[in-house]
Amino acid sequence: MAESASKAFVVGHPIAHSRSPKIHGFWLKQYGIAGSYEPVDVAPADFPAFLSGLRQAGFAGGNVTIPHKEAAWALAELRDEAAEAIGAVNTLWFEGGRLAGGNTDAHGFAANLDEYAPGWARNGPAMVLGAGGAARAVIHACLQRGVREVRILNRTPGRAQELADRFGAGVSAHPLAAAAEFLPGTGLLVNTTSLGMHGNSEIPVDPSVMPDRAIVTDIVYVPLETPLLAAARTRGLKTVDGLGMLLHQAVPGFERWFGIRPQVTPELRALVVADLDAGA
């Protein structure tokens, strides 16, 4: 339960593109809560001062997006297990008078697959494309759900190796060129790179050689069907777009700030899809 249920934020630089105000605004209206959720643009140099002034500004907490997630991790006085494992904070709240930080991206990833591909965690081995912050959240979610083998493929193998070392047993690092070797035995393919975003037609790997049981998901949600997902669908594979991850990761924060655990509904998804289509 939030200490104050009146005011929350999303902070980033830039922040105008964020869909979070649309999501949380929908829930505030749906549940009749007299609160607010506002975007705040803060430059990196000003971020520590922004956090130190949250209480004075009347905020119960908020979301953190690029480029502040790692700084929020360092500045939080308390961190949840997911934030510790992932090394980044995307949700802030007050706990016992102290600023607490969590990471809900792994929750959002898992909940999205739970909704559209039930049983996904039994469908390993998993291949994760990319080695950035989103990949860390995906790997954490996979391991938490019992996926026994996760292969990280990245154009820069050293970055993939850093992640493999971070997570330990069951996680291995490989160059992107190794995809042809591993894809025929991969049950879950996750793209965390920017390939396919904003009209980029490049496909990071070829899903046509994957087994019939395979699930392919992309954390990119602009466009909703990326070239990778389109190729996988043509192949007849189960595909899951990235929008659900965005929607589900917002749930725990709203509950902390406003005291109600909201639901991700078709109505909310349609609202955000319309916003995406409008290019807002």
Side-chain angles (χ1 to χ4, degrees):
M1 181 70 71
E3 294 184 11
S4 167
S6 60
K7 197 175 170 187
F9 62 85
V10 58
V11 59
H13 184 69
I15 199 61
H17 66 284
S18 175
R19 266 77 190 188
S20 292
K22 184 77 67 175
I23 296 168
H24 291 279
F26 174 87
W27 284 331
L28 287 169
K29 183 177 180 181
Q30 180 183 26
Y31 295 106
I33 297 171
S36 67
Y37 182 95
E38 57 194 73
V40 184
D41 193 320
V42 175
D46 299 324
F47 186 65
F50 171 74
L51 289 193
S52 66
L54 290 182
R55 278 288 182 94
Q56 187 175 2
F59 286 115
N63 286 126
V64 181
T65 189
I66 295 171
H68 301 312
K69 290 185 178 184
E70 292 183 359
W73 186 94
L75 292 166
E77 298 170 89
L78 303 169
R79 292 185 288 266
D80 69 10
E81 178 188 359
E84 290 285 19
I86 296 166
V89 158
N90 75 341
T91 305
L92 293 165
W93 67 95
F94 289 101
E95 192 170 303
R98 294 192 288 175
L99 184 65
N103 193 301
T104 65
D105 285 334
H107 165 80
F109 173 78
N112 186 34
L113 288 181
D114 286 344
E115 182 175 359
Y116 292 104
W120 62 272
R122 298 190 297 273
N123 218 45
M127 179 187 292
V128 177
L129 306 177
R136 294 201 299 266
V138 167
I139 295 163
H140 179 66
C142 287
L143 296 178
Q144 288 291 100
R145 289 299 190 89
V147 177
R148 294 183 179 181
E149 187 172 2
V150 180
R151 297 163 179 156
I152 310 167
L153 275 68
N154 196 53
R155 284 178 170 171
T156 307
R159 291 195 65 192
Q161 189 61 55
E162 289 174 10
L163 283 198
D165 293 342
R166 181 187 189 97
F167 286 100
V171 182
S172 58
H174 310 273
L176 191 59
E181 174 188 352
F182 292 127
L183 280 170
T186 295
L188 175 65
L189 173 63
V190 187
N191 178 42
T192 74
T193 76
S194 61
L195 293 179
M197 184 183 292
H198 300 307
N200 181 332
S201 61
E202 186 175 355
I203 298 177
V205 299
D206 180 8
S208 68
V209 298
M210 298 184 72
D212 293 344
R213 65 181 177 87
I215 300 166
V216 180
T217 185
D218 201 321
I219 70 162
V220 169
Y221 56 87
V222 181
L224 275 178
E225 185 174 73
T226 62
L228 175 64
L229 294 185
R233 178 177 53 79
T234 299
R235 162 70 176 80
L237 302 179
K238 178 68 177 177
T239 63
V240 181
D241 67 53
L243 180 55
M245 179 176 174
L246 173 71
L247 301 178
H248 283 285
Q249 65 80 29
V251 169
F254 189 93
E255 182 179 23
R256 287 193 181 276
W257 311 317
F258 301 111
I260 292 175
R261 190 169 184 84
Q263 298 296 311
V264 173
T265 59
E267 185 181 3
L268 173 61
R269 180 181 169 89
L271 178 75
V272 178
V273 168
D275 189 55
L276 295 173
D277 289 345

